Amino acid sequence: MVFLDLALNALASGIALGCIYALVALGLAITFGLLHIPNVAHPALVIAGAYAAVLANMRGIDPILAALVLTIPFYAVGLAFYEFYARAFERRGRGNTLQSLTLFFGVSLIVEIALVVAFGTDLRSVSVPYVGRSFELGLIVLPYRFLVPALLAPAVILALWLYMTRTHSGLAMRAVAHDERALSISGHDPVAIKRHAFGLATALAVLAGAALVIVGPVDPFAGRVHLGRVFAVVVLAGLGSIPGTLAAAIIIGVAEAFVTAFLSPSWAPGVAFAILLGTLALRPNGIFGTAR
């Protein structure tokens, strides 16, 4: 009975964590999966979004509602950042070089330092009515601080998938990942499409940040914890697969939950890297990816 209790709760918490991981990785699924931009600064932008949600919550606003509004300025920041990146690297043919990767590492450090200067190194959290309460179903007990952010992820992923499969600009985003030259011949501006996609990915960062800060307190360096995990999710999903991002994240979340429950919590951070290495060795295109 004890084993069944542990297994059911590990499964429930793993699915919830996986949904949250998917939300954190979703922006990277666009920038790295579709645009082939090694945006290692994305987790740091997620933490910046978490701090923005904290500031809004200090004024009595729910973090998720605040994040929905904050997607607009974050989108604008993404547009400006991509324009700088395109001028400095892509238009000079250096978009996939070590220098561009260094740029994103530098941006990540700048974001962290800015958060330290503005807020210090103390942990920051939010106050919402559902934190501290739990959902109970038989043997399963799941805190609302996991459940509420977890429910946000499928809704956002469904909306993004519908946008990318049912709208003209969304289809153009998918097309630019496969044949940029053919897209330009058809009369579209690949740079404008990629700029919009990067802005959208940055806007998603604030939603992920709001979800993370509901789950637990964050500090300016919390993005480093998620860097390897989000890349593992994107690679496991198959580069550019939006629905696959959710499935891959749930696989990693459930694996981490079972390792934590039955082995040791200290082993959990290595689960994502083990899955990443196994994926690269056995199925480099991911579980939903196709050969390029």
Side-chain angles (χ1 to χ4, degrees):
M1 192 66 176
V2 174
F3 176 83
L4 180 61
D5 188 5
L6 283 174
L8 288 175
N9 280 280
L11 178 62
S13 61
I15 292 173
L17 279 175
C19 289
I20 297 165
Y21 292 164
L23 194 58
V24 176
L26 196 55
L28 191 66
I30 295 175
T31 56
F32 184 56
L34 289 177
L35 306 184
H36 312 302
I37 298 174
N39 184 15
V40 294
H42 182 74
L45 294 174
V46 169
I47 302 305
Y51 273 85
V54 168
L55 289 178
N57 184 249
M58 291 170 63
R59 291 164 174 78
I61 305 173
D62 184 270
I64 294 176
L65 294 179
L68 291 173
V69 177
L70 288 168
T71 54
I72 299 173
F74 268 71
Y75 175 80
V77 169
L79 295 182
F81 183 39
Y82 177 79
E83 186 62 30
F84 169 77
Y85 167 77
R87 290 177 181 272
F89 294 97
E90 286 201 336
R91 295 177 185 176
R92 299 180 182 180
R94 298 186 298 169
N96 293 316
T97 62
L98 182 61
Q99 291 94 329
S100 66
L101 185 62
T102 304
L103 167 70
F104 289 105
F105 271 115
V107 170
S108 179
L109 291 174
I110 290 172
V111 172
E112 290 179 355
I113 293 170
L115 291 176
V116 169
V117 171
F119 301 100
T121 57
D122 294 336
L123 291 169
R124 297 293 179 123
S125 59
V126 293
S127 176
V128 287
Y130 42 83
V131 170
R133 299 165 56 192
S134 297
F135 171 79
E136 298 184 17
L137 180 63
L139 297 175
I140 297 174
V141 180
L142 189 63
Y144 280 108
R145 66 186 180 93
F146 286 106
L147 184 59
V148 172
L151 293 176
L152 175 66
V156 173
I157 289 173
L158 176 62
L160 180 63
W161 180 78
L162 290 174
Y163 171 75
M164 295 185 66
T165 56
R166 305 293 175 85
T167 68
H168 183 76
S169 57
L171 291 171
M173 282 172 51
R174 297 176 65 191
V176 78
H178 295 282
D179 198 334
E180 187 174 327
R181 180 176 297 179
L183 191 65
S184 61
I185 293 174
S186 66
H188 296 81
D189 182 2
V191 174
I193 294 169
K194 294 169 79 171
R195 183 168 55 240
H196 167 64
F198 199 96
L200 182 60
T202 308
L204 291 170
V206 70
L207 290 173
L212 276 184
V213 79
I214 291 173
V215 171
V218 298
D219 63 32
F221 309 105
R224 300 180 183 184
V225 177
H226 296 283
L227 181 58
R229 183 179 288 120
V230 295
F231 270 95
V233 168
V234 173
V235 172
L236 178 60
L239 297 183
S241 174
I242 301 304
T245 300
L246 180 59
I250 289 176
I251 290 173
I252 291 175
V254 170
E256 286 188 1
F258 272 87
V259 167
T260 299
F262 294 101
L263 294 176
S264 170
S266 60
W267 289 27
V271 171
F273 289 99
I275 293 176
L276 174 61
L277 291 175
T279 303
L280 291 174
L282 301 176
R283 190 174 172 81
N285 296 318
I287 54 179
F288 291 94
T290 56
R292 293 176 182 267

